[in-house]
Amino acid sequence: IRKAIMLNCMAIIGILVIISFGIIALYQSFPILLFADFFIAFFLSMILLYFREGGDYYISSHLSCFLVGLFFLYLFISGGVLKTGPLWYYTFPLFTCYLLGSKRGAIATVVLLCVSFILLSLNEYSSFITTYPKHFLLRFIPSILVVFAYAYIYEYMNEEDQKQLSQVNNQLDIKVKEQTTQLKATNKALAKRIEQHIEAEEALRESEELYRELVENITDVIYSVDINGRVTYVSPVINSVLGYDPSEIIGKSYTEFV
């Protein structure tokens, strides 16, 4: 998403800047440069429109860098206005390394520089190729290489940071999944234990009810006493045998009724 937004911004800014320079070329009577400016601006606009409609970042970014590279090569070979064409080269490694990635951006920059210097060496055989002073080239070549190196290193380190961050996120996802699985297993086991506890309580209640029903309906007197000999329970049949209500006996010593 970040690179997609940047592609949109770079394309829009590039289109506006190129159109502005095309208008300047019109007033300065540079028809070839005017045509080149508007040609590149038109195709960048088509690529931007295609990207917004189709969302294909890979094709859009590579086509944009390819067209801009051709445009910069033309400016370098022709000299542009007052031999200022090479100045645009300083921007090429910056946006290619960012949009295409460090490796592809480095390859694109190296290809552009190699083609440029090969064509520059043929300036004796073509009047179209601009001749630059040696003192300019001695300063331009090291400076563009420094910019290229900084752009590559920065993007490479950024990509490594993104890889490490992605690995950390993947490890966190794995841990979350493992803990979620363990939690589900624990919850399942706990639910099973609760179900077993409820079943045990239900069985105990049924057993107590069965025992109570058995005790209360048996013809013999059933009773229980504590260690002090006090009655803690007596079956209701005591009423028909001795004529006492169970409440009259419970809590008293059994010897009183023997």
Side-chain angles (χ1 to χ4, degrees):
I1 297 176
R2 182 170 56 94
K3 289 193 174 185
I5 295 174
M6 188 59 67
L7 176 60
N8 277 278
C9 294
M10 286 182 176
I12 294 173
I13 294 173
I15 292 169
L16 294 176
V17 170
I18 292 173
I19 290 175
S20 300
F21 278 104
I23 295 173
I24 295 174
L26 175 63
Y27 283 101
Q28 292 179 338
S29 300
F30 290 102
I32 298 179
L33 187 58
L34 169 65
F35 173 79
D37 287 337
F38 281 95
F39 177 83
I40 294 298
F42 171 77
F43 277 97
L44 284 179
S45 300
M46 293 297 101
I47 293 173
L48 179 61
L49 181 62
Y50 164 77
F51 175 66
R52 290 190 171 184
E53 292 295 329
D56 195 333
Y57 175 82
Y58 181 86
I59 296 177
S60 301
S61 59
H62 282 70
L63 280 177
S64 298
C65 292
F66 176 73
L67 285 175
V68 172
L70 288 179
F71 180 58
F72 285 0
L73 179 62
Y74 163 74
L75 293 177
F76 183 82
I77 298 303
S78 65
V81 178
L82 300 177
K83 295 185 178 181
T84 58
L87 297 178
W88 290 99
Y89 270 41
Y90 291 104
T91 64
F92 191 75
L94 298 177
F95 64 78
T96 53
C97 286
Y98 182 82
L99 295 178
L100 306 182
S102 59
K103 293 182 179 180
R104 290 191 178 93
I107 294 173
T109 302
V110 169
V111 170
L112 177 63
L113 293 177
C114 290
V115 173
S116 300
F117 295 137
I118 290 173
L119 292 176
L120 192 62
S121 65
L122 302 176
N123 60 352
E124 297 179 357
Y125 306 98
S126 176
S127 59
F128 178 75
I129 302 176
T130 301
T131 300
Y132 294 99
K134 290 184 178 180
H135 64 272
F136 169 78
L137 294 177
L138 290 175
R139 288 168 174 79
F140 171 73
I141 295 175
S143 61
I144 188 63
L145 291 178
V146 168
V147 173
F148 168 44
Y150 278 134
Y152 172 78
I153 293 172
Y154 176 81
E155 187 58 29
Y156 176 78
M157 294 178 64
N158 185 52
E159 290 172 353
E160 291 299 314
D161 291 339
Q162 291 295 327
K163 288 180 181 179
Q164 293 179 0
L165 181 60
S166 178
Q167 291 176 355
V168 172
N169 289 334
N170 291 335
Q171 292 175 356
L172 288 176
D173 289 339
I174 293 174
K175 289 182 178 180
V176 169
K177 290 179 179 179
E178 291 177 350
Q179 292 178 355
T180 301
T181 302
Q182 293 176 357
L183 183 59
K184 288 181 178 179
T186 303
N187 290 337
K188 186 176 181 180
L190 181 60
K192 187 176 182 179
R193 290 182 61 184
I194 293 174
E195 183 180 355
Q196 291 175 347
H197 182 69
I198 293 174
E199 291 177 353
E201 287 184 343
E202 182 66 21
L204 179 61
R205 185 183 62 80
E206 292 177 356
S207 177
E208 289 177 347
E209 290 180 355
L210 180 62
Y211 176 75
R212 183 179 296 109
E213 183 179 356
L214 177 64
V215 170
E216 291 178 352
N217 294 321
I218 198 170
T219 57
D220 295 330
V221 177
I222 298 176
Y223 66 95
S224 63
V225 296
D226 58 16
I227 58 175
N228 297 319
R230 298 182 182 277
V231 179
T232 58
Y233 173 79
V234 63
S235 60
V237 75
I238 192 66
N239 192 5
S240 61
V241 175
L242 298 179
Y244 291 103
D245 189 77
S247 61
E248 297 179 84
I249 300 177
I250 294 175
K252 296 180 181 180
S253 176
Y254 77 95
T255 57
E256 298 180 17
F257 306 96
V258 176

